[in-house]
Structure formats: C-alpha cells, structure tokens
Amino acid sequence: MSHYEAPIREPLVLGDKSYHDITEDIAKPIEGAANKNWYIAFYISLAAMLWGFGCIFYTVGTGIGVWGLNKNIGWAWDITNFVWWVGIGHAGTLISAVLLLFRQKWRMAINRSAEAMTIFAVFQAGLFPIIHMGRPWNGYWVLPMPNQFGSLWVNFNSPLLWDVFAISTYLSVSLVFWWTGLLPDFAMIRDRAVKPFQKKIYALLSFGWSGRAKDWQRFEEVSLVLAGLATPLVLSVHTIVSMDFATSINPGWHSTIFPPYFVAGAIFSGFAMVQTLLGIMRKVTNLEDYITRMHIEYMNIVIILTGGIVAVAYATEFFIAWYTGSPYENYTYLSVGAATGPYAWAFWSLIIFNIITPQLLWIKKFRRSFIITFIISIAINIGMWFERFDIIAIVLSKGHLPSTWWRFEPTFVDVGIFVGTIGFFFVLFLLYARTFPVIAQAEVKTILKSSGEFYKKRREQGIPTKPAINLANVAGTSDKSNKE
Amino acid sequence: MESSKVIHAFYNDDEVLMDAVKAVKAEHLHIEEVFCPFPVHGLDKAMGLAPTRLAITAFFYGITGLCFAIWMTNYMMIQDWPQDIGGKPNFSWFANMPAFVPIMFELTVFFAAHLMVITFYMRSRLWPFKEAENPDPRTTDDHFLMEIPVNNNEAEITALLVKTGAVEINVVDKH
C-alpha cells in the first residue's frame, strides 16, 4: 500500500533485484580493477590535459597576445568555452535539485553522475575567467578584502564581479550538496571494504556516517532545502553569466531575453552532455539495469523541451531585431552579421545542430535509441558551443563603427586550452567513475519496491511487496553479552 | 546504570521494520536507535522523533547573508568610496540597488546553504575523521537494525521481536 504506483509507469530498476544486489552492482566498478580501455581513455585525456596546461603556461608566461584575439574582439574562445562549460554544468543541478522538488524518481539513477559532471564542468569553466586575465596573478583583487590601498574595494556594478560570486557560490553549494548525498554511499563502500587502506579512505570520506533514523531525517531535510536553494541558484548563475552580454550596449548582446534563454540553453546542452556520458557509462560499468532506456527517453524529452525554448528564443531575437527598427540590430542579425557573413558557417552549424537535429527526438523510436541519442547529444554539444561563439564573436566582429570591423582567427593556443579542458574534464570524470559510487544507492533502494520491475510484476499478480514473516527464520538469536 | 545491555534486532525489509517499530512502540518500549541503509519514509514519525529544525536555521542564515550583502554593498559602494563608475547613481543605496541584486541573491543562498550544511554536520556529528558508529556493517547494505535497551525484560522483548519478523536478534553489552 505504501508503495502504490500507477501500473502505467515503466519500471526504473530492471531485473530481479534485491537491496543487496543494488549494493553489489554499484560497488563492483569501485572494487574491481580498471580494464585496458579505461587506461587508454585515461591516458588520452591526461595527454590532452597536459597539452592544455602547457598552453595555459605559455599564455600566462608570454601574454594574451598568443591568442587570436584582437583589439575589437577581446572575447572569443575563452569566454565561449567558459559559458559552454558553465552551461554543461547546469544539467547536474537541474537533475539533482529541480527533479527532486518535482519528486521525479527517475533522477535517482543519474543524479550522482550528473552532479559530478556539474562539478568537473564548473572546474573547467572556472579556469577561463582566470587565464583570460592579462594579469592573472592579480586575480585575487576581485575579492572585496580589506587591503593596504586605503581599503580599495571592488565595483559591485560589474557582471564580471557578479560572475565571481555566482560561480564560486554555485561550485561550493553544488559540492556540498553532492558530498552530503555521497556520505551514505561512501559508508556502504567503507563497510564492505576488505583492504585496510580502502577501508581507511572510505571511512575518511564517509565522515563516520552511521545511518541512524535521526540522521536520515535530517539528511532528507537538508537535501530538500539544498534542492530548494540550488534551483534558484542554477537559474541565477546562468542568468548572471548571460548578463555579461545582456547588460552591455552592443547590438546583438543588449537583450532582455538572454537570462531565460541562456538558462534554457544551459539545460539543453547540459542534458546533452549527460546523455553523452551516461550512454557510455551504463555500458562500461554494467549499470544498464539502473540507467535504462526509460531514463534516456526522459532526458531526451527534457532536451526537446529546452531545445524548443532555445529555438523560440532564436526566433524572438530575429523578430525583435527586425521589429525594433534599429539599423544596428537589424544589421547584426539579418544582414552580413550572421546568416550570410563570414561566419555564416558558424551560424548554420548552430541552426543545424541545435534546432534541426534535435527535432528527430519527437519520434519515439529515435528518442528511445541509444545510438541516435548519443549522436544527437554530440551534435547538441557542438551546436551549443557555436551558439556561444556566434553570440560572442559575430557580435564583436561587427560593432557600431565600420572602421572597427575585424575578424577573429583562433590560434593553436586557443584551441589547445579548450582541448586541455576537455582532457581535464575526462581525467576527473574517469577517476570519479573508478572511485565513487556512480549511482546514489541509498536513493535507488528507496524506489526499488515502488518502481522496480520485479516488485511491479509482483504487484500486478497481487502479491504484496512486504514479505510474509516466517517465525522459524530468526537465525542467530543469541546472547553476545558475555563475549566482550 | 545497571542496564547496559541492549538488544539488536535485525530486519531485512523496510516494511517489516516499520511494522516492528510500531509494534514495539505499542508495547511502550523505548527504541534507542534504528540504523537503516536508506531513508525509510515515515520511520521518524513511527519512532516518535521530533521534526528537525534545520530548514528554520537555513532561513535565518539566509537572512544573515542578505543583511551582510546589503551592508557590504552599501559600505563599499556608497559610504566608503562613492565614485562615479559609468554614471551609476551613488548618492543612495536604493538608487544603485538593482546592480546589487545579484550579489544579494548569491550571498543569501551561499550563507543559507553552507551554514545549514555545517549545522547538519555538527548536529549529526559528522566530520572527516569521525569513527562510524553503526554496530553492524550490514546496516549500510540491506539490513535494518533496531536497538532496544533491556531492563531485565530480555525474554519478553525477544519474544516480541521474533513475532515482528526479526531475522536475527542479539543481546549485546553496550559500553
């Protein structure tokens, strides 16, 4: 009775699973050894990361002039990548917070990995505001700290300062949200560990979690309040990022639609990245019974929804550019600025990858197909990179004064740093997948009886989920009081 | 204290555990603790645990953060260095308030979230080098453990627990 669920709902946990099976399945990737493919992927990522770090040191040591920026286009790949990575991070919080508020049970198998993705993506994003500074060693001046310059403060009017507050709040809150959720799962690994070193590590990581009734009561309240705080946070963070552009006076940037449109785009691209990662992860970690076709389909539905919002936003931008009567706006959007200018290839990549390709997901067969989902998710990741590149570079390349018109060509350092962040991201994600419980087992166990395939079938046959009490079953009724 | 003995009753199903907790409560026996591998919904009510006030603390922490942000922006931008930066009005805090909203919002969330989590860790006594206190490793996997203190009524409690479907019952000394 307590676990009633409409029979129309598809099961979220496949197979004949018990609570112990869930433990076993989730602990297996951590307790086993890594295979050859993992090492190949890890070393490729590591090489990319080191190459990226080399490019960063080269930039900082030599100067920003090694990038393809010029005096008119002062932001290009750096901020494009920054916004792209922040956007990718947003799906994690959406899955763990917004779907928690809406009591979506399907989030439970994917929230851990989505949150990990958030944190690792925000790490990458956080690199760019520092390395794109001309004097990154003075980066700490953005903090309002009392100082020896007569206490010279920061200017709270700048969206770039809001970014500092937004990103650091976002990263730190996501981190504690994620970590608090990990405590019971680390405790499970700790209590299973046979190697003393492993036991020590997981005992340290699990903060001595014991799973008391009171702890669980507080844990659930903390999760709910954090979800309630993280939801406006996730909306505000990308809003603030969008204000880097929206509060400017550039035609093409100065736009009130940016805050919701960027947030929708962030969820769109973030979910695409979750699809890319989980499509592979469910296979290599043998967690296909937990991350099912159903999960992939639900995520694809969110992708269609947010992709639709983004498409409406593009249309609105174009309509308003025409409707406003401002020749500059008109020029940026409708003339050589975007669709037919030197960046037409970037503009049309955006339209094809972001607007046209995802429409295939309306077809049920496609959105339930792992292969097609994987391909479309990659397309969206590319398309959303172009969205940010188009917004930033196309607008800057054609400003108010024709004498300032210029083009942007990236150098190998621009590209190298971007490749480096992708490598760094995968290094972190691959290490995570080997050492962390990639599915929140404590949460999945709560839905096993309501949404597990085995229990759903039993309910259909009229068998209660509660096992009958067998009085002869009491195994070790003993008095251990004299043993110690 | 003469009674240092406790009974550890193991269950392997959350619904059976819930019924057992209710049965033990109906006998007016004190349940010292229940250890679970996952949150069993309604268990705190069945055990008669008081609701947690962590959400209330978060509210006050949030107000603190908001006040801090208002004080900081007002002090730094309006009182200490009232400079003209791009024509932004600086003669009163309200005149420049819209530009401070993002900071006010973020600091409210920051204070509410972090201080509440720290409060949770302190109240539940969780920190990196804390020793785990669950009496049996199975309680983080698939077993539920109910701990009941004994006052010379071992046999009665054991009989009751057997009837509720405990899969294992141990009497242990608690130090």
Side-chain angles (χ1 to χ4, degrees), chain A residues 71-112:
Chain A
K71 69 184 174 65
N72 297 318
I73 304 172
W75 279 354
W77 277 56
D78 47 354
I79 300 301
T80 299
N81 299 335
F82 164 70
V83 182
W84 189 72
W85 277 118
V86 178
I88 283 174
H90 277 48
T93 315
L94 189 95
I95 288 167
S96 57
V98 180
L99 298 184
L100 173 74
L101 295 184
F102 285 108
R103 301 279 179 216
Q104 293 296 305
K105 290 176 180 173
W106 59 276
R107 80 172 200 285
M108 288 174 179
I110 52 175
N111 60 0
R112 175 67 43 73

Tab-separated table of all heavy atoms in Angstrom, chain A residues 71-112:
chain	number	residue	atom	x	y	z
A	71	LYS	N	42.063	43.890	-31.074
A	71	LYS	CA	41.607	44.987	-30.226
A	71	LYS	C	40.108	45.223	-30.320
A	71	LYS	O	39.553	45.964	-29.513
A	71	LYS	CB	42.401	46.266	-30.518
A	71	LYS	CG	42.144	46.905	-31.859
A	71	LYS	CD	43.095	48.095	-32.019
A	71	LYS	CE	43.009	48.701	-33.396
A	71	LYS	NZ	41.710	49.311	-33.690
A	72	ASN	N	39.429	44.605	-31.262
A	72	ASN	CA	37.977	44.717	-31.306
A	72	ASN	C	37.300	43.487	-30.735
A	72	ASN	O	36.254	43.584	-30.115
A	72	ASN	CB	37.502	44.928	-32.736
A	72	ASN	CG	38.038	46.223	-33.272
A	72	ASN	OD1	38.044	47.230	-32.572
A	72	ASN	ND2	38.548	46.201	-34.486
A	73	ILE	N	37.902	42.364	-31.004
A	73	ILE	CA	37.323	41.118	-30.496
A	73	ILE	C	38.157	40.690	-29.301
A	73	ILE	O	39.147	39.982	-29.424
A	73	ILE	CB	37.287	40.046	-31.596
A	73	ILE	CG1	36.514	40.592	-32.797
A	73	ILE	CG2	36.642	38.773	-31.079
A	73	ILE	CD1	36.569	39.712	-34.003
A	74	GLY	N	37.748	41.175	-28.125
A	74	GLY	CA	38.521	40.924	-26.915
A	74	GLY	C	38.095	39.647	-26.212
A	74	GLY	O	38.772	39.163	-25.310
A	75	TRP	N	36.948	39.133	-26.596
A	75	TRP	CA	36.480	37.850	-26.058
A	75	TRP	C	36.183	36.956	-27.242
A	75	TRP	O	35.486	37.360	-28.158
A	75	TRP	CB	35.166	38.020	-25.295
A	75	TRP	CG	35.265	38.511	-23.898
A	75	TRP	CD1	36.381	38.734	-23.165
A	75	TRP	CD2	34.146	38.852	-23.048
A	75	TRP	NE1	36.043	39.184	-21.920
A	75	TRP	CE2	34.677	39.271	-21.820
A	75	TRP	CE3	32.763	38.832	-23.206
A	75	TRP	CZ2	33.866	39.667	-20.743
A	75	TRP	CZ3	31.965	39.227	-22.159
A	75	TRP	CH2	32.527	39.639	-20.929
A	76	ALA	N	36.686	35.749	-27.219
A	76	ALA	CA	36.248	34.802	-28.246
A	76	ALA	C	36.238	33.398	-27.664
A	76	ALA	O	35.307	33.052	-26.955
A	76	ALA	CB	37.100	34.918	-29.492
A	77	TRP	N	37.288	32.602	-27.895
A	77	TRP	CA	37.250	31.216	-27.412
A	77	TRP	C	37.216	31.143	-25.900
A	77	TRP	O	36.621	30.237	-25.339
A	77	TRP	CB	38.462	30.444	-27.946
A	77	TRP	CG	38.240	29.925	-29.330
A	77	TRP	CD1	37.907	30.661	-30.414
A	77	TRP	CD2	38.306	28.572	-29.760
A	77	TRP	NE1	37.766	29.860	-31.502
A	77	TRP	CE2	38.018	28.560	-31.134
A	77	TRP	CE3	38.607	27.370	-29.132
A	77	TRP	CZ2	38.001	27.382	-31.887
A	77	TRP	CZ3	38.600	26.206	-29.882
A	77	TRP	CH2	38.300	26.212	-31.242
A	78	ASP	N	37.902	32.065	-25.243
A	78	ASP	CA	37.975	31.994	-23.782
A	78	ASP	C	36.585	32.023	-23.150
A	78	ASP	O	36.203	31.121	-22.410
A	78	ASP	CB	38.857	33.121	-23.239
A	78	ASP	CG	38.525	34.480	-23.849
A	78	ASP	OD1	37.687	34.513	-24.769
A	78	ASP	OD2	39.080	35.492	-23.417
A	79	ILE	N	35.828	33.076	-23.476
A	79	ILE	CA	34.519	33.219	-22.844
A	79	ILE	C	33.510	32.254	-23.472
A	79	ILE	O	32.584	31.790	-22.795
A	79	ILE	CB	34.056	34.685	-22.902
A	79	ILE	CG1	35.068	35.570	-22.151
A	79	ILE	CG2	32.683	34.880	-22.294
A	79	ILE	CD1	35.271	35.206	-20.691
A	80	THR	N	33.702	31.923	-24.738
A	80	THR	CA	32.853	30.893	-25.347
A	80	THR	C	32.967	29.598	-24.566
A	80	THR	O	31.966	28.992	-24.178
A	80	THR	CB	33.281	30.650	-26.806
A	80	THR	OG1	33.120	31.860	-27.545
A	80	THR	CG2	32.464	29.544	-27.443
A	81	ASN	N	34.203	29.201	-24.308
A	81	ASN	CA	34.409	27.959	-23.564
A	81	ASN	C	33.906	28.076	-22.138
A	81	ASN	O	33.352	27.132	-21.589
A	81	ASN	CB	35.894	27.593	-23.534
A	81	ASN	CG	36.430	27.365	-24.916
A	81	ASN	OD1	35.695	27.024	-25.822
A	81	ASN	ND2	37.723	27.580	-25.085
A	82	PHE	N	34.106	29.229	-21.554
A	82	PHE	CA	33.623	29.453	-20.186
A	82	PHE	C	32.113	29.241	-20.116
A	82	PHE	O	31.609	28.463	-19.304
A	82	PHE	CB	34.001	30.874	-19.744
A	82	PHE	CG	33.244	31.374	-18.535
A	82	PHE	CD1	33.490	30.840	-17.281
A	82	PHE	CD2	32.302	32.385	-18.661
A	82	PHE	CE1	32.799	31.302	-16.174
A	82	PHE	CE2	31.609	32.847	-17.562
A	82	PHE	CZ	31.856	32.302	-16.317
A	83	VAL	N	31.381	29.923	-21.016
A	83	VAL	CA	29.923	29.823	-20.977
A	83	VAL	C	29.487	28.404	-21.330
A	83	VAL	O	28.542	27.862	-20.759
A	83	VAL	CB	29.277	30.865	-21.919
A	83	VAL	CG1	27.764	30.791	-21.853
A	83	VAL	CG2	29.730	32.262	-21.575
A	84	TRP	N	30.214	27.783	-22.250
A	84	TRP	CA	29.877	26.413	-22.649
A	84	TRP	C	30.007	25.465	-21.470
A	84	TRP	O	29.112	24.680	-21.183
A	84	TRP	CB	30.819	26.003	-23.787
A	84	TRP	CG	30.497	24.717	-24.462
A	84	TRP	CD1	29.457	24.473	-25.310
A	84	TRP	CD2	31.230	23.486	-24.371
A	84	TRP	NE1	29.510	23.176	-25.748
A	84	TRP	CE2	30.586	22.547	-25.196
A	84	TRP	CE3	32.383	23.097	-23.677
A	84	TRP	CZ2	31.040	21.235	-25.341
A	84	TRP	CZ3	32.838	21.794	-23.834
A	84	TRP	CH2	32.172	20.885	-24.660
A	85	TRP	N	31.121	25.573	-20.739
A	85	TRP	CA	31.331	24.671	-19.602
A	85	TRP	C	30.342	24.962	-18.478
A	85	TRP	O	29.833	24.042	-17.837
A	85	TRP	CB	32.767	24.769	-19.081
A	85	TRP	CG	33.763	23.935	-19.835
A	85	TRP	CD1	34.841	24.393	-20.528
A	85	TRP	CD2	33.789	22.516	-19.964
A	85	TRP	NE1	35.531	23.348	-21.088
A	85	TRP	CE2	34.908	22.170	-20.757
A	85	TRP	CE3	32.976	21.484	-19.498
A	85	TRP	CZ2	35.242	20.858	-21.078
A	85	TRP	CZ3	33.295	20.176	-19.823
A	85	TRP	CH2	34.421	19.876	-20.603
A	86	VAL	N	30.099	26.231	-18.200
A	86	VAL	CA	29.120	26.539	-17.147
A	86	VAL	C	27.770	25.962	-17.540
A	86	VAL	O	27.056	25.378	-16.727
A	86	VAL	CB	28.997	28.054	-16.901
A	86	VAL	CG1	27.946	28.337	-15.854
A	86	VAL	CG2	30.299	28.639	-16.443
A	87	GLY	N	27.432	26.122	-18.821
A	87	GLY	CA	26.147	25.610	-19.296
A	87	GLY	C	26.053	24.108	-19.119
A	87	GLY	O	25.036	23.593	-18.653
A	88	ILE	N	27.125	23.405	-19.428
A	88	ILE	CA	27.114	21.948	-19.266
A	88	ILE	C	26.875	21.582	-17.806
A	88	ILE	O	26.146	20.645	-17.496
A	88	ILE	CB	28.428	21.359	-19.805
A	88	ILE	CG1	28.360	21.336	-21.318
A	88	ILE	CG2	28.685	19.974	-19.251
A	88	ILE	CD1	29.622	20.931	-21.990
A	89	GLY	N	27.464	22.373	-16.936
A	89	GLY	CA	27.301	22.075	-15.524
A	89	GLY	C	25.874	22.170	-15.025
A	89	GLY	O	25.532	21.580	-14.011
A	90	HIS	N	25.035	22.919	-15.741
A	90	HIS	CA	23.712	23.188	-15.182
A	90	HIS	C	22.790	21.986	-15.140
A	90	HIS	O	21.884	21.939	-14.314
A	90	HIS	CB	23.052	24.331	-15.942
A	90	HIS	CG	23.500	25.664	-15.448
A	90	HIS	ND1	24.816	25.947	-15.265
A	90	HIS	CD2	22.814	26.754	-15.065
A	90	HIS	CE1	24.923	27.179	-14.807
A	90	HIS	NE2	23.726	27.690	-14.667
A	91	ALA	N	22.999	21.019	-16.023
A	91	ALA	CA	22.077	19.883	-16.025
A	91	ALA	C	22.197	19.082	-14.739
A	91	ALA	O	21.211	18.550	-14.241
A	91	ALA	CB	22.348	18.988	-17.221
A	92	GLY	N	23.408	19.029	-14.194
A	92	GLY	CA	23.602	18.253	-12.974
A	92	GLY	C	22.734	18.772	-11.850
A	92	GLY	O	22.066	18.013	-11.145
A	93	THR	N	22.740	20.085	-11.676
A	93	THR	CA	21.939	20.655	-10.607
A	93	THR	C	20.465	20.554	-10.944
A	93	THR	O	19.631	20.356	-10.064
A	93	THR	CB	22.338	22.114	-10.381
A	93	THR	OG1	23.746	22.174	-10.368
A	93	THR	CG2	21.796	22.631	-9.084
A	94	LEU	N	20.151	20.665	-12.219
A	94	LEU	CA	18.745	20.529	-12.596
A	94	LEU	C	18.255	19.135	-12.221
A	94	LEU	O	17.180	18.981	-11.644
A	94	LEU	CB	18.569	20.751	-14.091
A	94	LEU	CG	17.090	20.830	-14.426
A	94	LEU	CD1	16.638	22.261	-14.464
A	94	LEU	CD2	16.763	20.121	-15.688
A	95	ILE	N	19.060	18.130	-12.525
A	95	ILE	CA	18.643	16.755	-12.240
A	95	ILE	C	18.554	16.524	-10.744
A	95	ILE	O	17.592	15.952	-10.246
A	95	ILE	CB	19.611	15.764	-12.921
A	95	ILE	CG1	19.384	15.789	-14.434
A	95	ILE	CG2	19.428	14.364	-12.380
A	95	ILE	CD1	20.445	15.116	-15.244
A	96	SER	N	19.552	17.000	-10.005
A	96	SER	CA	19.541	16.669	-8.579
A	96	SER	C	18.610	17.578	-7.782
A	96	SER	O	18.093	17.156	-6.761
A	96	SER	CB	20.950	16.713	-8.011
A	96	SER	OG	21.509	17.969	-8.223
A	97	ALA	N	18.412	18.802	-8.216
A	97	ALA	CA	17.608	19.727	-7.421
A	97	ALA	C	16.190	19.895	-7.963
A	97	ALA	O	15.212	19.628	-7.259
A	97	ALA	CB	18.303	21.087	-7.344
A	98	VAL	N	16.076	20.314	-9.204
A	98	VAL	CA	14.742	20.605	-9.736
A	98	VAL	C	13.906	19.323	-9.788
A	98	VAL	O	12.748	19.301	-9.373
A	98	VAL	CB	14.835	21.251	-11.135
A	98	VAL	CG1	13.452	21.547	-11.673
A	98	VAL	CG2	15.660	22.518	-11.073
A	99	LEU	N	14.515	18.240	-10.253
A	99	LEU	CA	13.758	16.990	-10.336
A	99	LEU	C	13.448	16.427	-8.954
A	99	LEU	O	12.477	15.706	-8.778
A	99	LEU	CB	14.507	15.968	-11.199
A	99	LEU	CG	14.735	16.381	-12.652
A	99	LEU	CD1	15.386	15.257	-13.431
A	99	LEU	CD2	13.438	16.792	-13.334
A	100	LEU	N	14.266	16.793	-7.959
A	100	LEU	CA	13.937	16.397	-6.585
A	100	LEU	C	12.697	17.143	-6.111
A	100	LEU	O	11.800	16.567	-5.505
A	100	LEU	CB	15.117	16.679	-5.660
A	100	LEU	CG	14.861	16.478	-4.166
A	100	LEU	CD1	14.790	14.998	-3.820
A	100	LEU	CD2	15.944	17.114	-3.320
A	101	LEU	N	12.655	18.442	-6.418
A	101	LEU	CA	11.484	19.225	-5.998
A	101	LEU	C	10.219	18.705	-6.670
A	101	LEU	O	9.136	18.738	-6.094
A	101	LEU	CB	11.673	20.708	-6.325
A	101	LEU	CG	12.795	21.423	-5.578
A	101	LEU	CD1	12.797	22.896	-5.933
A	101	LEU	CD2	12.648	21.261	-4.081
A	102	PHE	N	10.365	18.237	-7.907
A	102	PHE	CA	9.192	17.702	-8.611
A	102	PHE	C	8.986	16.214	-8.335
A	102	PHE	O	8.188	15.572	-9.009
A	102	PHE	CB	9.323	17.955	-10.121
A	102	PHE	CG	9.076	19.378	-10.503
A	102	PHE	CD1	10.099	20.202	-10.907
A	102	PHE	CD2	7.797	19.896	-10.430
A	102	PHE	CE1	9.867	21.515	-11.246
A	102	PHE	CE2	7.547	21.207	-10.769
A	102	PHE	CZ	8.583	22.030	-11.171
A	103	ARG	N	9.765	15.653	-7.398
A	103	ARG	CA	9.607	14.256	-6.989
A	103	ARG	C	9.707	13.296	-8.172
A	103	ARG	O	8.910	12.368	-8.286
A	103	ARG	CB	8.263	14.052	-6.276
A	103	ARG	CG	8.090	14.908	-5.044
A	103	ARG	CD	8.796	14.292	-3.877
A	103	ARG	NE	8.645	15.136	-2.674
A	103	ARG	CZ	9.603	15.282	-1.768
A	103	ARG	NH1	10.745	14.680	-1.920
A	103	ARG	NH2	9.412	16.024	-0.707
A	104	GLN	N	10.662	13.560	-9.058
A	104	GLN	CA	10.858	12.680	-10.206
A	104	GLN	C	11.775	11.536	-9.792
A	104	GLN	O	12.946	11.755	-9.522
A	104	GLN	CB	11.468	13.467	-11.370
A	104	GLN	CG	10.547	14.515	-11.936
A	104	GLN	CD	9.314	13.909	-12.546
A	104	GLN	OE1	9.395	13.051	-13.417
A	104	GLN	NE2	8.139	14.327	-12.068
A	105	LYS	N	11.228	10.335	-9.760
A	105	LYS	CA	12.023	9.202	-9.259
A	105	LYS	C	13.125	8.808	-10.234
A	105	LYS	O	14.122	8.226	-9.824
A	105	LYS	CB	11.117	8.006	-9.017
A	105	LYS	CG	10.197	8.201	-7.834
A	105	LYS	CD	9.265	7.014	-7.715
A	105	LYS	CE	8.333	7.184	-6.523
A	105	LYS	NZ	7.338	6.097	-6.532
A	106	TRP	N	12.934	9.103	-11.496
A	106	TRP	CA	13.940	8.662	-12.469
A	106	TRP	C	15.250	9.405	-12.314
A	106	TRP	O	16.263	9.003	-12.859
A	106	TRP	CB	13.423	8.797	-13.908
A	106	TRP	CG	13.019	10.176	-14.327
A	106	TRP	CD1	11.827	10.771	-14.103
A	106	TRP	CD2	13.801	11.128	-15.049
A	106	TRP	NE1	11.819	12.026	-14.633
A	106	TRP	CE2	13.007	12.279	-15.227
A	106	TRP	CE3	15.100	11.121	-15.584
A	106	TRP	CZ2	13.468	13.421	-15.893
A	106	TRP	CZ3	15.549	12.255	-16.241
A	106	TRP	CH2	14.732	13.379	-16.387
A	107	ARG	N	15.245	10.495	-11.543
A	107	ARG	CA	16.503	11.227	-11.363
A	107	ARG	C	17.508	10.419	-10.555
A	107	ARG	O	18.703	10.633	-10.624
A	107	ARG	CB	16.259	12.555	-10.665
A	107	ARG	CG	16.104	12.401	-9.184
A	107	ARG	CD	16.050	13.687	-8.428
A	107	ARG	NE	16.378	13.434	-7.039
A	107	ARG	CZ	15.563	12.861	-6.174
A	107	ARG	NH1	14.356	12.514	-6.551
A	107	ARG	NH2	15.933	12.636	-4.938
A	108	MET	N	17.014	9.442	-9.753
A	108	MET	CA	17.877	8.831	-8.738
A	108	MET	C	19.037	8.045	-9.324
A	108	MET	O	20.100	7.969	-8.711
A	108	MET	CB	17.035	7.940	-7.840
A	108	MET	CG	16.155	8.790	-6.943
A	108	MET	SD	15.039	7.810	-5.992
A	108	MET	CE	14.214	9.101	-5.046
A	109	ALA	N	18.828	7.448	-10.486
A	109	ALA	CA	19.918	6.671	-11.066
A	109	ALA	C	20.943	7.564	-11.746
A	109	ALA	O	22.059	7.131	-12.022
A	109	ALA	CB	19.371	5.668	-12.073
A	110	ILE	N	20.582	8.790	-12.034
A	110	ILE	CA	21.500	9.623	-12.819
A	110	ILE	C	22.009	10.832	-12.050
A	110	ILE	O	22.922	11.499	-12.499
A	110	ILE	CB	20.838	10.091	-14.137
A	110	ILE	CG1	19.492	10.750	-13.872
A	110	ILE	CG2	20.685	8.937	-15.097
A	110	ILE	CD1	18.852	11.337	-15.101
A	111	ASN	N	21.447	11.120	-10.864
A	111	ASN	CA	21.816	12.397	-10.249
A	111	ASN	C	23.273	12.447	-9.800
A	111	ASN	O	23.916	13.473	-9.914
A	111	ASN	CB	20.868	12.772	-9.109
A	111	ASN	CG	20.838	11.766	-8.001
A	111	ASN	OD1	21.520	10.752	-8.057
A	111	ASN	ND2	20.056	12.046	-6.993
A	112	ARG	N	23.801	11.323	-9.314
A	112	ARG	CA	25.180	11.342	-8.837
A	112	ARG	C	26.144	11.725	-9.958
A	112	ARG	O	26.989	12.604	-9.794
A	112	ARG	CB	25.524	9.957	-8.275
A	112	ARG	CG	26.939	9.749	-7.854
A	112	ARG	CD	27.330	10.587	-6.657
A	112	ARG	NE	26.338	10.640	-5.611
A	112	ARG	CZ	26.048	9.660	-4.776
A	112	ARG	NH1	26.686	8.519	-4.848
A	112	ARG	NH2	25.141	9.807	-3.856
